[in-house]
Amino acid sequence: NVNELSDAQIKQLLQQAQASGMSDQQLLQEAATRGLPPQQVQTLEKRIAKVKSTNNDQGDLSDTGLNQGRKLNYSQDSLSGASQKSAPNSDVFGSLQTKIFGADLFRNKNLTFEPNLNLATPVNYVLGPGDQLNINVYGRSVANWKLPVSAEGNINIPGVGLINITGKTMEQATVVIKSHLLANNYAINNGTTVQISLGNIRSIKVIIVGEVVRPGTYTLPSLATVFNSLYSAGGPSDIGSFRQIEIIRDNRVIRRLDIYDFLLRGDQKDNIRLQDQDLVRVPTYKVRVQMMGEVKRPALYEILPGETLKDVIAFAGGFSDQAFPELVKVTQISNNEKRLTDIAAEDYKNYIPLRGDKYVVERILDRYENRVTIIGAVFRPGQYELTGGMTLSQLLKRAGGFKGDAFTNRGNLVRLKPDNSREQLSFNGQQVLDNPTADILLKREDSVIIASQFDLHTGYKVTIKGQVRLPGEFAYADSMSVADLVIKAGGFSEGASPKRIEVSRRVFDNDPKAQNSLIASVFTVNVDPDLKNNSANFVLKP
């Protein structure tokens, strides 16, 4: 459903199409080939045009071939050959598939979750066959042993004998080793010190089953955690749970891992270190919902018992800047059909998400509650805040007043009526400023238009013909003389005479009903041959 896509998704679709060398028409044809109904394709075309017009000023999207003003016919017949016109890359629609929150954690090639083997050995590290212990004795007694842990879990200290340390933590093994050394005349804490560290680290076998991308048995370093094992197996599959991953040891569940704890809060309390023959099981999810629209992270989210819609909104990062937060629409799945429910903001903490819920957060209205606009011959045209009791004269003053070319005899105020139709009010701009009784109380979305005198007539021109170098039409200016116009026309040509220059001028004050009404007056003037400035020179009119 194209109407369910956010503007950000449409923009992302266009950017990916550009990167793939697709024009907008190819993109629409590919959508139809994939099964998008013709009406939805036309809706997609309108959404693309809207996003482009919105981002045009910012230069975010360039025109990739959408023919503005020409409606394309997306009937099935016209698209029957779309497959022959296949786009260079049709994978751009993958961006519209709803993401499973958390799945990118295990698909990201820049994240490996490899354990750091160069860290100091954790005191709770459990020793086992294959490990190597480094034992340094210095002081009154000196020794340096590198002792492997045998298959039976023993180390053999020269002069001391076998010590079983399998299943013991580093802290416990250190106490045991020191006690054996003390019993064999090593004067520990009496001038002799013992330091025990882990040398080579053994490998362990971990079994990963359930809904993971690549289930199986994996060989991992003994410092590996649950995250390390999940990454090796590709993470949970599309139907796998991200929140109830079981770590099984000795046939019992010893811990449940919730990946959301790490993604949302950076909490790794359940990301425990694995032991040999541990089993990691990823069950299928039980309740998953979809959050769409104006939230920061639209995606599919897994819900645990006791969580509410408020938690889902928090998982999605909260509302976006353009969201309407007072209402969330949810499409529910009943026994044999769907049902639409509106959830008010005060009920977010009480609504229990149901299997298959689809939430839509809509945008705020594209309108202003307190905007007025003034354009035209004022010094600061633009949009202004409508304050309580604001009048037209106050708006004119905020806009810096009239420019010198303002036509103040008549201005226009365009107003929205309750039914969204428009009405126009006229006013005398100067009277509005001078006479409080002529002032007008403004309303939301009022638009004030102040015309310029230059907008009310065609540009004034004068014309020169005959023996000048550049005859033609020129812009008129006050106090322009014949000599001025001759100079504008490049001066006299070789055969020109400065005497008896004929000037014809339209007559404006004649009576059109009179039989012999004049339409023009003709004057004959002389100018200085050298076009010297002469105060008595004939002055032209438009």
Side-chain angles (χ1 to χ4, degrees):
N1 187 346
V2 176
N3 289 323
E4 293 182 354
L5 299 178
S6 65
D7 287 348
Q9 288 176 300
I10 297 291
K11 182 176 176 180
Q12 182 182 7
L13 181 65
L14 284 173
Q15 290 172 337
Q16 292 182 344
Q18 289 180 17
S20 302
M22 296 176 71
S23 68
D24 293 344
Q25 186 174 357
Q26 286 176 313
L27 181 67
L28 295 168
Q29 289 176 336
E30 185 66 27
T33 304
R34 291 217 176 183
L36 193 66
Q39 185 177 2
Q40 287 283 306
V41 177
Q42 292 177 355
T43 303
L44 178 59
E45 181 188 9
K46 294 177 182 177
R47 292 290 304 279
I48 290 175
K50 179 181 177 182
V51 168
K52 282 192 168 186
S53 64
T54 302
N55 292 279
N56 187 41
D57 294 338
Q58 303 172 358
D60 290 341
L61 294 169
S62 60
D63 184 8
T64 57
L66 185 65
N67 296 302
Q68 300 293 341
R70 181 174 70 87
K71 301 303 292 181
L72 301 176
N73 180 14
Y74 294 111
S75 63
Q76 294 297 339
D77 293 338
S78 66
L79 293 169
S80 58
S83 58
Q84 284 78 19
K85 302 177 182 179
S86 58
N89 184 358
S90 59
D91 292 336
V92 295
F93 293 99
S95 63
L96 300 182
Q97 297 175 356
T98 305
K99 301 275 191 300
I100 300 174
F101 180 65
D104 290 343
L105 183 68
F106 302 100
R107 313 289 193 270
N108 190 343
K109 295 180 180 180
N110 295 323
L111 291 173
T112 61
F113 287 105
E114 292 180 355
N116 190 344
L117 305 182
N118 294 321
L119 293 176
T121 307
V123 294
N124 61 348
Y125 176 80
V126 178
L127 296 166
D131 285 334
Q132 183 188 72
L133 285 182
N134 296 332
I135 304 176
N136 294 319
V137 181
Y138 54 93
R140 292 187 176 182
S141 301
V142 177
N144 186 3
W145 300 306
K146 294 183 178 181
L147 306 175
V149 181
S150 67
E152 292 78 18
N154 299 322
I155 59 172
N156 188 0
I157 301 178
V160 176
L162 295 176
I163 302 176
N164 188 280
I165 59 171
T166 187
K168 291 182 173 60
T169 65
M170 277 293 296
E171 187 176 31
Q172 294 169 340
T174 299
V175 173
V176 172
I177 292 172
K178 285 183 177 181
S179 64
H180 279 73
L181 291 175
L182 185 61
N184 285 271
N185 299 321
Y186 283 92
I188 299 173
N189 296 328
N190 189 17
T192 300
T193 303
V194 177
Q195 185 179 40
I196 302 173
S197 62
L198 190 64
N200 294 331
I201 297 175
R202 73 185 187 279
S203 296
I204 59 174
K205 297 286 187 179
V206 177
I207 304 170
I208 306 175
V209 297
E211 300 303 330
V212 291
V213 176
R214 297 183 296 273
T217 300
Y218 288 86
T219 301
L220 302 172
S222 56
L223 291 175
T225 64
V226 184
F227 273 139
N228 303 140
S229 65
L230 288 174
Y231 184 84
S232 300
S237 67
D238 290 343
I239 61 172
S241 171
F242 282 74
R243 308 199 60 189
Q244 293 183 311
I245 298 171
E246 298 174 345
I247 298 92
I248 301 173
R249 184 176 297 162
D250 297 330
N251 293 323
R252 63 186 183 89
V253 177
I254 63 168
R255 194 71 65 94
R256 284 186 172 86
L257 173 66
D258 186 347
I259 296 178
Y260 282 20
D261 288 340
F262 172 72
L263 292 174
L264 299 174
R265 295 181 292 276
D267 186 351
Q268 299 192 64
K269 66 180 185 300
D270 294 320
N271 183 28
I272 62 174
R273 189 171 292 106
L274 296 174
Q275 296 185 16
D276 192 43
Q277 297 303 313
D278 277 354
L279 187 145
V280 178
R281 189 180 80 88
V282 179
T284 58
Y285 71 86
K286 293 182 179 178
V287 177
R288 184 184 282 174
V289 299
Q290 183 176 357
M291 179 63 78
M292 301 182 300
E294 296 301 326
V295 290
K296 295 174 183 175
R297 282 193 299 260
L300 291 169
Y301 293 94
E302 185 178 348
I303 307 302
L304 296 181
E307 293 178 334
T308 65
L309 176 57
K310 183 179 179 180
D311 297 309
V312 181
I313 296 172
F315 294 161
F319 298 111
S320 70
D321 295 337
Q322 298 296 319
F324 176 65
E326 301 302 320
L327 187 73
V328 172
K329 295 183 177 180
V330 54
T331 301
Q332 300 171 328
I333 297 177
S334 60
N335 291 333
N336 60 353
E337 58 186 358
K338 296 181 179 180
R339 179 174 59 192
L340 186 65
T341 302
D342 294 337
I343 307 174
E346 57 269 19
D347 294 327
Y348 293 166
K349 62 181 180 298
N350 301 320
Y351 180 83
I352 304 300
L354 304 175
R355 173 184 58 88
D357 276 0
K358 185 182 293 186
Y359 306 104
V360 178
V361 179
E362 296 186 337
R363 294 174 67 91
I364 57 175
L365 299 177
D366 189 16
R367 56 180 287 180
Y368 291 83
E369 62 182 21
N370 63 339
R371 177 179 67 173
V372 290
T373 306
I374 184 169
I375 58 175
V378 292
F379 284 101
R380 293 187 180 92
Q383 299 175 350
Y384 289 86
E385 175 191 3
L386 175 63
T387 56
M390 185 175 180
T391 62
L392 178 56
S393 63
Q394 293 173 338
L395 177 61
L396 288 170
K397 292 176 182 177
R398 288 191 187 183
F402 295 119
K403 286 185 176 180
D405 62 320
F407 182 73
T408 60
N409 292 339
R410 191 180 188 88
N412 294 320
L413 189 152
V414 179
R415 173 167 291 172
L416 284 178
K417 298 167 67 174
D419 60 355
N420 273 350
S421 61
R422 298 180 181 272
E423 64 174 338
Q424 182 167 303
L425 306 176
S426 300
F427 59 88
N428 184 301
Q430 198 59 49
Q431 288 183 1
V432 166
L433 292 178
D434 299 339
N435 186 2
T437 60
D439 211 350
I440 300 174
L441 187 66
L442 296 178
K443 295 184 179 180
R444 181 185 67 85
E445 295 292 8
D446 278 355
S447 295
V448 178
I449 305 170
I450 305 297
S452 168
Q453 295 182 16
F454 299 114
D455 297 332
L456 303 179
H457 59 74
T458 306
Y460 288 150
K461 303 288 184 179
V462 289
T463 305
I464 184 169
K465 300 179 181 179
Q467 296 302 311
V468 290
R469 296 180 62 249
L470 300 171
E473 203 174 60
F474 295 88
Y476 169 78
D478 288 342
S479 303
M480 177 184 284
S481 67
V482 174
D484 294 330
L485 184 56
V486 172
I487 291 176
K488 282 182 175 290
F492 294 119
S493 62
E494 186 67 26
S497 170
K499 305 294 184 181
R500 298 184 60 80
I501 298 174
E502 185 179 278
V503 180
S504 61
R505 178 178 296 165
R506 180 177 176 181
V507 176
F508 290 94
D509 56 354
N510 62 332
D511 183 3
K513 296 181 180 180
Q515 183 175 2
N516 296 321
S517 177
L518 295 175
I519 61 173
S521 298
V522 178
F523 305 91
T524 302
V525 298
N526 299 327
V527 298
D528 187 275
D530 296 326
L531 298 176
K532 293 180 180 180
N533 189 24
N534 185 354
S535 60
N537 208 349
F538 189 86
V539 177
L540 300 174
K541 291 186 178 181

